Amino acid sequence: INAEYMGDSRNYGLHSKVSNPLLHVVSYLKNNCSSQASLSAGWTSLKEVWGIGPAIFNQDEFRWLQCQTTERRDCLLLNLAISDLSELTPSAQLGYLSQRPNLLCLRYLAGVCSKVNCVGVHPTHTPGWNALRDMWSISYLDIDPYVLTYLCQQSRVTQESILTTLSSCDLRSIRNLSQYVGELVNKYSTCA
């Protein structure tokens, strides 16, 4: 699947039904999906946040989604639900997300995923996250969730490089940690 094939990226005119899609999705997962058993949360979240469902995608896009594993499809749809679909078509954003090497596990943020081999990124227990914790007592909870999502979409090697760089900085002089992490992600993603 590629972004060009996934339709145009002009403003689609969708308006979120909730004020904070990420908070809404994480809250929904926490309250309704106590395990991986409920793997239709992505479709439910798209409906609740944007008022859209499977019919928004053309036949080829829907077929491509159906070919994904159930876990990968749910992870894609949950990340799509927290995306700004007022600026991009759902098809264009799905094309973008499908090309990302990693996606943040929103179930992990909700505290309902502890799978070792999860298809999504759990932002913890890697050398970079451990260094941040040990050096500065910083965890993923200290970073704006949207910046965290952007960070987790990078390759694991890039994530580790960013986190290692971050842990070696003097963070006492950083006023806005999330903004600084966002700038590092931009720097590393343009170098890649």
Side-chain angles (χ1 to χ4, degrees):
I1 196 167
N2 64 47
E4 293 82 29
Y5 179 73
M6 295 300 289
D8 72 52
S9 61
R10 290 174 289 173
N11 184 316
Y12 197 63
L14 290 177
H15 300 286
S16 176
K17 295 176 157 191
V18 299
S19 60
N20 185 329
L22 179 67
L23 182 61
H24 181 83
V25 169
V26 169
S27 177
Y28 169 79
L29 290 169
K30 183 179 258 182
N31 295 327
N32 298 295
C33 303
S34 58
S35 71
Q36 286 292 114
S38 176
L39 287 173
S40 63
W43 289 118
T44 303
S45 295
L46 272 175
K47 183 73 172 166
E48 288 186 1
V49 174
W50 295 102
I52 60 176
I56 198 76
F57 299 107
N58 71 35
Q59 197 172 35
D60 291 329
E61 295 161 350
F62 184 74
R63 191 175 307 123
W64 179 84
L65 271 170
Q66 293 305 103
C67 288
Q68 305 305 301
T69 65
T70 304
E71 289 179 11
R72 172 75 175 158
R73 179 176 51 250
D74 195 59
C75 188
L76 279 161
L77 293 172
L78 287 168
N79 275 269
L80 185 61
I82 67 166
S83 299
D84 185 359
L85 298 180
S86 65
E87 295 295 322
L88 291 173
T89 65
S91 294
Q93 185 63 12
L94 179 63
Y96 169 79
L97 292 173
S98 71
Q99 295 176 15
R100 306 309 321 147
N102 301 294
L103 295 172
L104 179 62
C105 177
L106 295 172
R107 289 174 181 277
Y108 181 81
L109 291 187
V112 296
C113 182
S114 58
K115 290 183 72 172
V116 174
N117 295 322
C118 181
V119 297
V121 173
H122 293 190
T124 186
H125 302 302
T126 68
W129 285 110
N130 291 344
L132 267 179
R133 182 197 62 224
D134 296 345
M135 296 280 297
W136 299 104
S137 299
I138 291 174
S139 77
Y140 72 91
L141 297 170
D142 299 303
I143 299 172
D144 175 86
Y146 287 104
V147 174
L148 181 64
T149 299
Y150 186 41
L151 170 64
C152 290
Q153 289 176 353
Q154 309 308 307
S155 72
R156 301 221 184 218
V157 171
T158 301
Q159 287 177 49
E160 284 301 305
S161 295
I162 292 167
L163 294 169
T164 302
T165 298
L166 190 60
S167 66
S168 66
C169 293
D170 183 0
L171 297 180
R172 293 174 292 199
S173 62
I174 303 298
R175 291 183 185 204
N176 185 330
L177 179 64
S178 292
Q179 179 181 351
Y180 188 69
V181 171
E183 290 169 1
L184 280 176
V185 174
N186 283 335
K187 177 182 170 186
Y188 275 83
S189 65
T190 56
C191 293

